[in-house]
Amino acid sequence: MPHFLVKNVRCASLALLASLALNASAQDSRPPFIIAPTVEGMLLCDEAVAQPQMRSIDEAYTYCRRRKLDGAPALSRLLDRLEPGGPRGAVQVGYTATLQLLGLYRSTSKGWAIDPARVDEFLGVISKVQRPVVIYFSADHFDSIGPITEELRRDPRNLMQLRDGKPLELNYFGYRIMPYTLSTDAAIPVNKYRRDALNYVAQRIKKLPKTVQSRIVAYTLAGELHHMFPDFENGMGAYQDIQVTDYSPASVARFRQWLRTRYQTIEQFNTQTGLSYASFDAIQAPSKNIRKEKLTSFGEHYDAFADGTLPIAGWLWDPNKAIQKLDLYVDGRLVGPVPYGLNRLDVYRAEAAITSPNTGFRHDLDYSGLLPGRHLAQVVATSGTSRYQLAEVEFVVVPRDQGRVASTQRSEVPSLKNAKALSGVRSWLDMPKPLQDVYYNPLARDWNRYRESQVYDFLSNFHQWALKAGLPADKLYSHQIVPNVNSSWNPHLFAAGQTLSGSAPWKQGLNMYGGATDSAWLRDFMARNKITDYGVPEFNPQQWKRNGVHLAAMQSHYDAGARFISPYYFSVIPDRFKGGAEHGVNRMELRPDNPKDGSDRFYQAIVEYARK
């Protein structure tokens, strides 16, 4: 070998060794990856459980509280089963402790006051359990069972409203939830109580011994903040006759101010939107369906497509990976790629032969620039050197005056083969329905953007409360849902998109269920949004058809640099206190004798992965 090649090889080897040493050093220096399961019943004491005559969980909690007993021993036993010998190594087992901030209040002769005993018992468990902990400050719609809730519910200022001026009456598998306002007005009672509780608990935490404080890995803030909609349990994918929040007078007034800031003058607003309003004060928030209701101005129109986007979405099962890409064509012209591999847990549940929930595909088509008339959308699959039609659907762009739609010459991508010819490929187009009519209203687009800004502003405000209370900035994470990872959901119902950027002042905490727990789409989403240092405050693959799924999901987040994941959920509450009703939540209880949703497999995978 020539001398210069020997030299180059030697230099390359030295560079490789240096790189490996650097990577090893980085691995050694990174903090442990914490598996911090959410644990139900952490305040339930052994002494109450030991009394067979005690049948009610509320009775048991009262027994423990009166005797200043808690569930620290039971919680420690559970975590020791998952990781015997205590937390050590690159992967460690801790737990997530949920604290409902509004639940801390009690009624006194002087009004509502924080009950120090409730905070004592919560911090007592954290002090006693020698494990890493993620503290979840719950203050969203799930913080709804404390005695103060009923008073808050009666004051309209505290709640988001539908267009009829009424708040939603909601529950989640029998658990009442409250559509608390997203206003940042500190004078609103629910905001005052949430802020004061957060500050009180933060001051108490800062007085804990440093060894206890050091075990706190993260604080997740507020919970899943988003707008609300009817049928909260099942309505995430609603597209017909949707209802959204927040039409309260204060919210609509702020919308008008948002428009003033965006457009400066009503003349500029009218010019850019093609609408005609005498002043910003004359603008009503869009809320009427043009198909069914009389409008005084086209700007009042609102439905799932009014903001100018039409989802082209369905599912694709391609077990042999015959397809390399999907593209969307409209009227024979390429629009762009169709992302696929999104979560469709419903398809996974329904079809025994489909062994991954990551089958969804979706492209949100911006139709706002299309001329009125009938248009053809085609989803085209590329396999090798050939192209195949996976799906096609016609839709109709209707003019504002609902005038006659001129017939247009049908243009399409020529010479496509049928995707059914590809071995193993199965697919279905869910949206839109054939000849879906759509009416673009620029004011509806503004309304949706404004609603997203409301969610962002409230989370930003909550983050500022935490900072002012003295909680460490490097441990503050959000606790947010990612609606778009579920290709059949309607993200406009949630309006949470602005909170998910890596440029936000908090660290991102992204909840993941089903295929989202190990998703190429979600990894790409995080890369595009520059999300690196993150946590997963709720995590459950909900799968049972393939081996190794749960280990692979945890490893993917270890590799991506996640600080923690919080498997949802474990319980130390005996079965006799739980009742016999089964619903979508308790299917996910992680225990070795619960095969539903693969819960037993996830349990075993945690035990195995904690040995790392």
Side-chain angles (χ1 to χ4, degrees):
M1 180 181 291
H3 175 73
F4 71 91
L5 286 181
V6 173
K7 181 179 179 181
N8 287 347
V9 169
R10 186 181 298 118
C11 290
S13 299
L14 290 172
L16 176 60
L17 289 172
S19 174
L20 291 173
L22 185 63
N23 288 337
S25 175
Q27 288 292 327
D28 290 341
S29 64
R30 69 173 283 177
F33 176 70
I34 306 300
I35 302 175
T38 298
V39 180
E40 176 188 57
M42 60 178 272
L43 300 179
L44 181 61
C45 60
D46 288 343
E47 291 81 357
V49 172
Q51 300 188 45
Q53 74 275 14
M54 198 166 291
R55 309 301 300 179
S56 160
I57 187 65
D58 291 334
E59 181 185 0
Y61 279 138
T62 299
Y63 178 95
C64 301
R65 187 166 290 125
R66 286 176 176 170
R67 291 160 178 79
K68 299 188 182 304
L69 301 169
D70 58 42
L75 177 57
S76 294
R77 289 194 301 270
L78 167 66
L79 302 179
D80 287 343
R81 287 195 296 272
L82 299 177
E83 186 188 19
R88 61 182 184 275
V91 176
Q92 298 179 9
V93 170
Y95 62 103
T96 294
T98 302
L99 183 64
Q100 293 191 319
L101 294 179
L102 295 175
L104 297 177
Y105 285 90
R106 64 178 178 179
S107 180
T108 73
S109 59
K110 296 181 180 179
W112 294 101
I114 294 170
D115 184 351
R118 292 296 177 96
V119 181
D120 289 344
E121 61 188 11
F122 179 82
L123 297 182
V125 172
I126 290 171
S127 298
K128 295 170 191 174
V129 177
Q130 305 293 305
R131 291 276 181 172
V133 59
V134 173
I135 295 180
Y136 166 23
F137 291 122
S138 174
D140 65 349
H141 42 276
F142 285 112
D143 187 3
S144 60
I145 60 174
I148 198 175
T149 304
E150 198 57 35
E151 180 174 307
L152 294 173
R153 187 180 69 84
R154 290 194 294 266
D155 187 340
R157 293 177 298 168
N158 296 320
L159 306 175
M160 292 186 281
Q161 296 177 13
L162 297 171
R163 69 173 193 170
D164 62 4
K166 297 178 181 178
L168 284 157
E169 294 288 340
L170 297 171
N171 71 82
Y172 186 70
F173 297 105
Y175 183 98
R176 186 176 73 167
I177 57 179
M178 298 292 292
Y180 294 124
T181 181
L182 292 167
S183 169
T184 58
D185 184 350
I188 293 175
V190 69
N191 287 345
K192 177 184 182 302
Y193 290 124
R194 291 190 281 199
R195 183 192 61 228
D196 289 352
L198 178 62
N199 186 64
Y200 178 87
V201 176
Q203 303 317 309
R204 292 289 306 276
I205 287 172
K206 291 185 328 186
K207 293 178 181 177
L208 293 173
K210 295 299 182 184
T211 53
V212 176
Q213 292 187 50
S214 68
R215 292 201 296 267
I216 302 173
V217 174
Y219 302 91
T220 69
L221 303 179
E224 292 181 339
L225 294 173
H226 54 75
H227 276 274
M228 303 302 292
F229 46 89
D231 190 17
F232 184 70
E233 287 181 15
N234 307 298
M236 294 87 160
Y239 274 88
Q240 302 301 319
D241 300 318
I242 65 168
Q243 298 183 65
V244 300
T245 51
D246 176 19
Y247 292 95
S248 65
S251 175
V252 174
R254 284 190 293 272
F255 176 50
R256 293 176 181 133
Q257 183 57 47
W258 185 92
L259 291 172
R260 286 187 185 94
T261 302
R262 177 174 174 82
Y263 293 99
Q264 302 299 310
T265 68
I266 194 64
E267 290 76 19
Q268 289 190 53
F269 170 82
N270 288 333
T271 298
Q272 292 187 42
T273 63
L275 300 170
S276 181
Y277 286 94
S279 68
F280 287 111
D281 289 335
I283 296 174
Q284 298 297 318
S287 66
K288 296 180 180 178
N289 189 328
I290 196 172
R291 301 170 189 83
K292 302 178 180 182
E293 299 169 273
K294 185 176 180 179
L295 311 183
T296 57
S297 164
F298 182 75
E300 293 179 323
H301 170 59
Y302 188 78
D303 68 2
F305 317 111
D307 80 329
T309 57
L310 178 68
I312 312 295
W315 58 267
L316 164 66
W317 176 236
D318 180 19
N320 301 321
K321 293 183 169 43
I323 293 172
Q324 284 81 57
K325 66 172 182 171
L326 299 179
D327 290 300
L328 177 66
Y329 288 78
V330 174
D331 301 330
R333 295 183 177 181
L334 177 64
V335 174
V338 178
Y340 62 106
L342 290 95
N343 189 40
R344 285 296 299 270
L345 196 58
D346 58 329
V347 176
Y348 176 85
R349 293 185 188 281
E351 297 286 339
I354 292 178
T355 58
S356 169
N358 287 333
T359 61
F361 66 82
R362 177 170 177 144
H363 181 111
D364 286 323
L365 171 66
D366 185 345
Y367 71 84
S368 62
L370 295 179
L371 294 174
R374 289 173 65 155
H375 299 272
L376 176 68
Q378 293 173 282
V379 179
V380 176
T382 298
S383 179
T385 59
S386 300
R387 297 195 301 173
Y388 297 79
Q389 179 160 286
L390 193 77
E392 71 168 17
V393 64
E394 285 188 294
F395 62 95
V396 184
V397 177
V398 186
R400 293 181 178 184
D401 63 3
Q402 294 182 283
R404 185 173 178 271
V405 177
S407 59
T408 54
Q409 184 175 358
R410 179 185 173 101
S411 299
E412 59 183 278
V413 182
S415 306
L416 293 177
K417 301 176 183 180
N418 192 322
K420 291 181 180 178
L422 293 169
S423 176
V425 169
R426 297 173 60 190
S427 66
W428 188 261
L429 183 73
D430 294 301
M431 294 185 286
K433 67 181 183 180
L435 295 177
Q436 174 69 59
D437 54 332
V438 292
Y439 305 74
Y440 172 50
N441 175 14
L443 189 57
R445 181 172 286 187
D446 281 336
W447 176 239
N448 283 341
R449 287 172 175 167
Y450 163 71
R451 293 170 60 245
E452 285 201 2
S453 75
Q454 287 181 298
V455 183
Y456 181 94
D457 288 347
F458 185 84
L459 182 51
S460 181
N461 219 48
F462 200 96
H463 178 251
Q464 285 298 312
W465 295 349
L467 289 175
K468 289 177 181 177
L471 294 176
D474 64 339
K475 292 185 178 183
L476 299 181
Y477 292 77
S478 61
H479 193 119
Q480 283 296 79
I481 196 168
V482 187
N484 300 68
V485 76
N486 303 287
S487 64
S488 61
W489 286 16
N490 183 350
H492 295 321
L493 299 176
F494 299 88
Q498 285 186 23
T499 66
L500 304 176
S501 169
S503 62
W506 53 82
K507 293 187 176 184
Q508 288 292 351
L510 306 177
N511 295 342
M512 302 176 193
Y513 288 92
T517 55
D518 191 6
S519 165
W521 183 92
L522 193 57
R523 285 190 285 272
D524 179 67
F525 173 87
M526 290 197 291
R528 284 186 282 111
N529 285 279
K530 297 180 172 58
I531 297 171
T532 51
D533 184 359
Y534 69 100
V536 188
E538 297 177 28
F539 184 91
N540 193 318
Q542 296 177 274
Q543 296 174 57
W544 60 90
K545 297 179 183 179
R546 292 183 295 139
N547 294 326
V549 167
H550 305 88
L551 286 171
M554 289 187 284
Q555 183 65 40
S556 73
H557 293 286
Y558 180 91
D559 292 341
R563 182 69 177 96
F564 67 92
I565 60 170
S566 297
Y568 188 85
Y569 70 102
F570 285 78
S571 178
V572 292
I573 298 176
D575 287 344
R576 77 175 193 265
F577 291 145
K578 294 178 182 177
E582 179 185 299
H583 49 66
V585 173
N586 63 25
R587 289 177 61 87
M588 291 188 285
E589 183 183 341
L590 303 178
R591 48 195 279 181
D593 60 347
N594 179 22
K596 301 179 184 72
D597 274 9
S599 298
D600 53 350
R601 295 185 177 214
F602 192 15
Y603 180 99
Q604 296 299 337
I606 291 171
V607 173
E608 181 176 345
Y609 200 66
R611 300 190 188 112
K612 184 179 176 72

